[in-house]
Amino acid sequence: MTSPEDQSPAQRPSESSGSSESSGSSGFSGFEIKDRVYRSPAGMVGGVLLLGLAGWLGGDAIVAGDGRTPWLALASLILVVPLTVAFTLRPAVYAGQDRLRVRNPFRLIVLPWGQVAALRSGYSNEVVAASGKKFQLWAVPVSMRARKKANRQKARAAAAARGGAGGRGGLGGGLGFGGLSRGGGAAAAPDGPVRAETDRVMDELRELWEAREKEESAQGEVTVRWAWEIVGPAVAGAVVLGILLVMG
């Protein structure tokens, strides 16, 4: 599950002339688009809880431990805290007017829309660059349970629509066992296909990509940067912890 956020109020389009909801399927052109930020609320909550637990246990060992215990606890914290942040709080997807920024646990990938070849959804959500390289969207995890639930809802809605359309002369009369519609007939089908939340996020990204990929400002090169602020402390903690364990 992901949550879209507005990154920058300064990039907000005028309320009266252009919003993505009011400008149709091609409403991503003709005005400045504010960045959309997608994160995983469940991952963020889990990360905060894990960091709290690590701080409590590690802090207690540092303060009350004897011998090498405080040093082992400190080295463990230096290793565990960056990794926890990397896999829970750090992942995010920034969809802007000209580019897609993917912040994964250990890398930051910037793809201009013109360099995006595909946005795929399978057992994981990923973006494919024009060069053929694939990058997983850690902040938009696939939930097979949510997909199955959406498929069940879609099947029930279709069954209710069929039952309502063909059952007016049956036992249910005008009710059709699907509930009352506003006009007294069968229950209305949903306005659009039922989708899991992360699949809807991918639909939004595809819509923005298709609208912006040909724009001149959305061209450029794909850049990949390692998150040394995460990798450095984690490697240092692992090295110190390994030395302490070897020294016995």
Side-chain angles (χ1 to χ4, degrees):
M1 183 176 291
T2 59
S3 62
E5 306 168 3
D6 296 337
Q7 184 187 27
S8 151
Q11 296 177 328
R12 184 169 299 165
S14 65
E15 298 291 339
S16 59
S17 60
S19 66
S20 59
E21 290 79 11
S22 62
S23 47
S25 59
S26 60
F28 291 112
S29 60
F31 64 91
E32 188 175 4
I33 300 171
K34 58 186 177 182
D35 277 6
R36 296 182 177 189
V37 185
Y38 299 96
R39 300 176 184 270
S40 172
M44 296 179 68
V45 171
V48 170
L49 294 177
L50 288 174
L51 288 175
L53 180 62
W56 175 46
L57 296 177
D60 182 69
I62 292 173
V63 173
D66 297 326
R68 295 187 311 121
T69 301
W71 295 105
L72 288 171
L74 180 59
S76 299
L77 284 177
I78 296 175
L79 171 63
V80 169
V81 169
L83 293 179
T84 302
V85 171
F87 286 98
T88 59
L89 302 181
R90 176 179 166 81
V93 173
Y94 300 84
Q97 177 165 301
D98 297 325
R99 61 188 55 85
L100 179 71
R101 288 194 298 138
V102 180
R103 198 169 70 184
N104 282 344
F106 301 114
R107 294 189 297 178
L108 175 65
I109 304 103
V110 180
L111 301 100
W113 288 118
Q115 287 293 323
V116 175
L119 286 158
R120 297 178 180 173
S121 296
Y123 291 105
S124 65
N125 291 316
E126 59 186 17
V127 57
V128 182
S131 63
K133 291 184 178 180
K134 302 176 183 179
F135 304 99
Q136 186 174 348
L137 305 182
W138 281 79
V140 190
V142 169
S143 172
M144 301 306 295
R145 179 180 180 183
R147 279 185 179 174
K148 291 178 181 178
K149 180 179 179 181
N151 289 335
R152 288 196 299 268
Q153 291 176 346
K154 184 177 180 180
R156 284 197 295 266
R162 289 194 302 268
R168 290 186 178 182
L171 184 60
L175 296 178
F177 294 111
L180 284 171
S181 66
R182 185 167 298 178
D191 294 336
V194 179
R195 304 276 282 165
E197 182 176 354
T198 53
D199 290 337
R200 290 198 299 268
V201 170
M202 294 300 291
D203 290 341
E204 291 180 10
L205 294 178
R206 290 189 190 97
E207 183 180 358
L208 181 55
W209 164 49
E210 291 169 357
R212 299 294 303 173
E213 63 175 332
K214 302 298 184 182
E215 299 294 329
E216 183 178 353
S217 60
Q219 309 305 312
E221 298 295 328
V222 177
T223 60
V224 180
R225 183 182 72 84
W226 285 94
W228 295 111
E229 66 275 14
I230 297 292
V231 176
V235 171
V239 170
V240 173
L241 183 60
I243 294 173
L244 291 173
L245 292 175
V246 168
M247 291 177 61

PDB file of all heavy atoms in Angstrom, residues 44 81 222:
ATOM      1  N   MET A  44       6.869   2.360   6.497  1.00  0.00           N
ATOM      2  CA  MET A  44       7.314   3.448   7.356  1.00  0.00           C
ATOM      3  C   MET A  44       6.956   3.182   8.817  1.00  0.00           C
ATOM      4  O   MET A  44       7.776   3.413   9.721  1.00  0.00           O
ATOM      5  CB  MET A  44       6.705   4.761   6.878  1.00  0.00           C
ATOM      6  CG  MET A  44       7.153   5.170   5.486  1.00  0.00           C
ATOM      7  SD  MET A  44       6.413   6.715   4.917  1.00  0.00           S
ATOM      8  CE  MET A  44       7.201   7.888   6.025  1.00  0.00           C
ATOM      9  N   VAL A  81      20.837   0.185  12.182  1.00  0.00           N
ATOM     10  CA  VAL A  81      20.035   1.386  11.969  1.00  0.00           C
ATOM     11  C   VAL A  81      20.028   1.826  10.503  1.00  0.00           C
ATOM     12  O   VAL A  81      18.956   2.066   9.923  1.00  0.00           O
ATOM     13  CB  VAL A  81      20.502   2.520  12.897  1.00  0.00           C
ATOM     14  CG1 VAL A  81      19.858   3.848  12.497  1.00  0.00           C
ATOM     15  CG2 VAL A  81      20.148   2.196  14.351  1.00  0.00           C
ATOM     16  N   VAL A 222      19.795   8.700 -18.145  1.00  0.00           N
ATOM     17  CA  VAL A 222      19.480   8.029 -16.878  1.00  0.00           C
ATOM     18  C   VAL A 222      20.697   8.119 -15.964  1.00  0.00           C
ATOM     19  O   VAL A 222      21.829   7.857 -16.396  1.00  0.00           O
ATOM     20  CB  VAL A 222      19.107   6.550 -17.122  1.00  0.00           C
ATOM     21  CG1 VAL A 222      18.856   5.841 -15.798  1.00  0.00           C
ATOM     22  CG2 VAL A 222      17.892   6.455 -18.026  1.00  0.00           C
TER      23      VAL A 222
END
